[in-house]
Amino acid sequence: MTNPEGRFGIYGGQYVTETLMNALIELEAAYKKYKNDPQFVAELNDLYKNYAGRPSLLYYAANMTEDLGGAKIYLKREDLNHTGAHKINNVLGQCLLAKRMGKTRVIAETGAGQHGVATATVAALMGLKCEIFMGEKDMERQALNVYRMKLLGADVRCVKSGTGTLKDAVNETMREWTNRIADTHYVLGSVMGPHPFPTLVRDFQSVIGKEVRQQMMAKEGRLPDYLIACVGGGSNAIGLFYDFVKDEQVKLIGCEAAGEGVDTPRTAATIATGTVGIFHGMKSYFCQNKDGQIAPVYSISAGLDYPGIGPEHALLHDIGRAQYVPITDEEAVNAFEYLSRKEGIIPAIESAHAVAYAMKLAPTLPKDKIVVVNLSGRGDKDVAAIARYRGVDLHD
Amino acid sequence: MTDVADAFKHGKAFIPFVTAGDPDLETTKKLVEAMVAAGADLIELGIPFSDPIAEGPVIQAADVRALSNHVTLDEIFAMVKTIELPRPVPLVMMTYVNPVFVYGAEKFTKKAKECGICGLIVPDEPYEEKAELQPACRKAGLKLVSMIAPTSGGRIRMIAGEAEGFVYCVSSLGVTGVRTSFSNNLPDVVTAIKQATKIPVAVGFGVSTPEQARAIAKFADGVIVGSAIVKLVAAHGRDSVPYVSDYVKSMKDAVRSED
């Protein structure tokens, strides 16, 4: 019967084809074997430090704090990691595990391209063959990252089915994994999919929150009051939240992509507009119709343009431990520009959703409160799309 | 009352698949009736899904065609009710778990039973997650068909031991779609299943020609064909009935020769 370790309350599970079951069981066994293996841990920590550049900085955003006039704002600078986002934390862990399992090839889905770039990067480092699946529409939106992945030696496969976005890229990567399991590991990019992925990805990302705790204690001598992160599948958010879940006084806030608004069909806000379903191997919340057909969601952010959310977030929402708020395209773009001008930091459009909520929240709080925003990625990849949003045509 | 097991009472079974609502429900009804008239022993009726992860491009496209007409589950149930079979043949639904879960497992299985369905095939509900739909299936009197893959290995005994109706043995790695060859260990997998259970074993995924069907029927109890039929529906649309009927006849003749 269902593996209790793969459940977060009623959520999670392993709803995949029989062809994949032994691969998941093998992955879970390998992960259990190596996660506390001193040599594996030492190797991963060395890669975090000397390859990815960890620990990432916890930066006090003085200008932003002063301008907003409320709580102190700190930015967790995951954008400063090698490859420019938090995605590398998970990819290093999974590729190291894949090597231990004797796999010679990795495949991955990507939305914004950050996870694809991270996977292509680590595959190059570790000498693994690499294929990245990316939606047709996302390849247009993130052309720079497509070229970057090719430069790193990965094959980029264009996914034309469905809406040509992240959801379809996941479908196609799962199909490819079913086709070729023996030598291939699927480097799933978020805290989603079938068990053990939500747990494994969370554990590899939880380095974010562990560092924040240490850094905050060093700087302020106490825990923060609010942790804010953007949520698509939810890996950077769970990475930030996880170490603080037991600290009830620390409020956890996930920012979903509302697209053009939660009252329009052009949205990807899963908690705000979705219902419980079973898809991509997991039970969780999904944007879908009454017949269980998955909705074609929309967000300006290719990385948040996903109709589901990781199962652990579904549980944190149900039990009220975390709060999930929708942020529109317009709010995110404003935050993108605001942080660029105020702090000289261009955030990923995904992370700008978290910045946008901090901009709403901080002014309502007293000055002795502390807010940490996860700056999950850098925004270089988004510059052309934001220019387009503002009606500026860039020719380069 | 027709039961899934009836399909295997007249020798080797031929099991065709069509996607409900492709190109429309009226054609689906005619296809089902014609396939039974042409010798089909069990009909697998596909519920179109937005994201069919076990399907190759051919059935994916059928799902898109069906859903672009906004076909609903209620409309599919209503269509199934009107099917008039020339002889009693079991009908099963092939559906992903989400449409059943969201519609409500009890409501779905009850309605399915009421309109003459006798089993469900749910490719994204493996053994470990059977509890999601099995209680509702039992209550409604539907068989929940188990799938076994070339990668199942040590899981075969466990799955086959609890299987009901028939075992759906997946011929190869990967998704549905026409293939020129199957997993090398396919006969061994079928043998292992037969050692673990007395219920029939049907092989599907990738079968398209009478030669392939004949070869599989030598060691399995039934042959399942989807993409090859859906291709005919894609090519001929509302006029596909005679083409599908001829094809089913030829495939049934092929498996019958191995009785």
Side-chain angles (χ1 to χ4, degrees):
Chain A
M1 285 300 108
T2 191
N3 181 345
E5 291 179 43
R7 289 282 169 175
F8 305 90
I10 64 163
Y11 302 108
Q14 293 181 301
Y15 301 88
V16 295
T17 56
E18 169 58 22
T19 306
L20 289 178
M21 276 310 295
N22 261 331
L24 295 177
I25 291 165
E26 184 198 357
L27 178 63
E28 183 183 5
Y31 180 57
K32 277 186 176 160
K33 179 176 171 191
Y34 289 112
K35 71 173 180 180
N36 297 317
D37 174 66
Q39 207 184 333
F40 181 87
V41 172
E43 216 172 308
L44 182 59
N45 285 338
D46 181 69
L47 286 164
Y48 278 169
K49 179 165 187 261
N50 295 306
Y51 189 71
R54 304 207 69 88
S56 68
L57 299 176
L58 183 67
Y59 167 76
Y60 172 53
N63 296 343
M64 196 177 163
T65 300
E66 191 188 347
D67 183 62
L68 295 172
K72 283 176 100 166
I73 297 171
Y74 282 88
L75 304 176
K76 179 59 173 167
R77 298 290 308 275
E78 291 296 300
D79 59 317
L80 295 177
N81 294 337
H82 180 42
T83 71
H86 71 290
K87 294 291 188 188
I88 193 95
N89 306 332
N90 166 44
V91 173
L92 282 169
Q94 283 202 48
C95 287
L96 203 57
L97 194 59
K99 290 278 277 191
R100 288 286 204 281
M101 292 170 72
K103 306 288 179 185
T104 55
R105 175 176 176 258
V106 288
I107 54 173
E109 84 294 344
T110 197
Q114 294 303 91
H115 177 60
V117 167
T119 305
T121 298
V122 177
L125 174 73
M126 297 190 184
L128 294 159
K129 285 193 213 80
C130 178
E131 270 177 52
I132 303 296
F133 292 79
M134 190 169 189
E136 188 177 30
K137 189 173 139 201
D138 290 342
M139 285 181 74
E140 283 165 28
R141 289 196 277 193
Q142 301 288 352
L144 190 65
N145 271 343
V146 174
Y147 192 73
R148 197 172 278 154
M149 289 184 273
K150 289 180 180 168
L151 203 58
L152 291 159
D155 283 331
V156 182
R157 303 258 297 259
C158 180
V159 179
K160 292 182 176 164
S161 57
T163 48
T165 61
L166 181 53
K167 161 188 81 110
D168 310 290
V170 174
N171 291 344
E172 215 47 47
T173 320
M174 281 195 176
R175 288 182 185 123
E176 175 59 24
W177 202 26
T178 312
N179 200 34
R180 193 167 155 185
I181 300 170
D183 68 344
T184 301
H185 174 66
Y186 178 6
V187 184
L188 226 157
S190 193
V191 285
M192 47 155 290
H195 176 69
F197 285 108
T199 301
L200 181 149
V201 177
R202 175 200 70 202
D203 290 353
F204 289 138
Q205 291 294 357
S206 64
V207 64
I208 302 172
K210 287 178 192 155
E211 286 178 8
V212 166
R213 178 184 294 271
Q214 284 180 359
Q215 291 164 325
M216 191 53 74
M217 290 309 287
K219 283 174 193 289
E220 297 278 355
R222 71 175 184 89
L223 297 184
D225 299 292
Y226 292 85
L227 301 178
I228 305 176
C230 65
V231 182
S235 73
N236 90 80
I238 214 83
L240 176 65
F241 296 170
Y242 189 60
D243 202 53
F244 294 93
V245 168
K246 61 186 179 300
D247 302 299
E248 293 280 345
Q249 74 276 25
V250 181
K251 295 187 176 66
L252 312 175
I253 299 169
C255 303
E256 300 193 300
E260 293 177 3
V262 291
D263 49 353
T264 77
R266 288 182 51 86
T267 179
T270 310
I271 294 285
T273 67
T275 52
V276 177
I278 301 170
F279 181 50
H280 280 164
M282 60 181 172
K283 185 181 281 185
S284 190
Y285 285 91
F286 296 96
C287 298
Q288 57 186 340
N289 73 12
K290 62 173 180 45
D291 270 0
Q293 306 291 350
I294 303 301
V297 294
Y298 164 79
S299 160
I300 189 173
S301 147
L304 304 181
D305 198 351
Y306 181 72
I309 186 167
E312 195 162 10
H313 286 292
L315 176 65
L316 291 175
H317 164 73
D318 278 11
I319 62 175
R321 179 63 190 93
Q323 186 194 351
Y324 296 84
V325 296
I327 297 293
T328 63
D329 282 0
E330 182 66 21
E331 290 171 319
V333 171
N334 286 338
F336 181 92
E337 293 168 340
Y338 176 86
L339 195 69
S340 302
R341 285 172 199 164
K342 217 30 110 187
E343 295 287 349
I345 297 170
I346 302 175
I349 188 65
E350 290 76 23
S351 323
H353 286 71
V355 175
Y357 190 73
M359 289 164 65
K360 291 195 214 179
L361 176 70
T364 69
L365 298 174
K367 291 184 186 219
D368 62 345
K369 294 288 180 191
I370 300 172
V371 172
V372 175
V373 179
N374 204 11
L375 220 60
S376 55
R378 68 175 180 227
D380 311 44
K381 67 182 176 61
D382 299 306
V383 171
I386 301 303
R388 269 198 302 278
Y389 184 85
R390 289 301 189 210
V392 179
D393 197 12
L394 294 184
H395 298 280
D396 46 6
Chain B
M1 198 55 119
T2 321
D3 184 75
V4 174
D6 298 349
F8 302 88
K9 282 183 178 159
H10 321 286
K12 305 281 178 174
F14 179 67
I15 304 173
F17 166 99
V18 284
T19 301
D22 169 33
D24 54 41
L25 288 170
E26 200 184 323
T27 307
T28 304
K29 170 179 148 71
K30 286 184 194 156
L31 282 169
V32 171
E33 291 166 354
M35 290 192 299
V36 170
D41 299 292
L42 185 152
I43 302 288
E44 205 187 311
L45 189 62
I47 302 298
F49 184 49
S50 54
D51 299 81
I53 54 159
E55 313 299 347
V58 171
I59 296 178
Q60 284 179 43
D63 286 8
V64 170
R65 287 192 295 273
L67 291 175
S68 64
N69 297 329
H70 305 287
V71 63
T72 65
L73 290 171
D74 284 332
E75 286 164 1
I76 293 170
F77 287 132
M79 178 276 290
V80 174
K81 222 170 197 167
T82 68
I83 290 175
E84 291 169 42
L85 297 181
R87 61 196 166 84
V89 158
L91 305 179
V92 302
M93 280 180 166
M94 195 313 286
T95 174
Y96 288 84
V97 63
N98 200 46
V100 185
F101 175 79
V102 172
Y103 192 83
E106 287 223 358
K107 189 173 148 203
F108 187 104
T109 50
K110 187 164 172 273
K111 280 218 175 168
K113 182 72 182 179
E114 279 167 9
C115 66
I117 298 292
C118 45
L120 294 186
I121 301 171
V122 187
D124 57 347
E125 186 176 272
Y127 178 85
E128 280 77 358
E129 305 298 354
K130 269 205 305 193
E132 197 64 56
L133 301 184
Q134 193 158 51
C137 285
R138 288 249 164 90
K139 196 171 164 194
L142 296 183
K143 295 281 195 305
L144 183 58
V145 173
S146 296
M147 297 179 95
I148 286 177
T151 52
S152 293
R155 297 167 53 79
I156 292 176
R157 282 182 69 88
M158 172 182 87
I159 299 168
E162 289 183 23
E164 47 190 47
F166 70 96
V167 172
Y168 190 133
C169 178
V170 177
S171 73
S172 328
L173 293 177
V175 292
T176 60
V178 173
R179 283 178 173 76
T180 52
S181 65
F182 306 113
S183 191
N184 288 333
N185 68 347
L186 179 59
D188 299 337
V189 173
V190 172
T191 305
I193 297 169
K194 287 188 159 296
Q195 280 165 359
T197 180
K198 287 190 166 54
I199 65 170
V201 181
V203 172
F205 276 42
V207 188
S208 63
T209 68
E211 291 72 33
Q212 290 174 324
R214 205 172 292 131
I216 288 171
K218 283 187 200 305
F219 56 85
D221 305 302
V223 177
I224 306 167
V225 171
S227 293
I229 291 166
V230 171
K231 263 188 176 173
L232 292 172
V233 179
H236 304 286
R238 291 187 183 86
D239 304 320
S240 59
V241 177
Y243 298 92
V244 171
S245 184
D246 286 350
Y247 177 78
V248 169
K249 239 177 240 152
S250 69
M251 294 297 277
K252 177 60 194 176
D253 286 346
V255 300
R256 193 183 282 128
S257 69
E258 296 303 325
D259 278 348

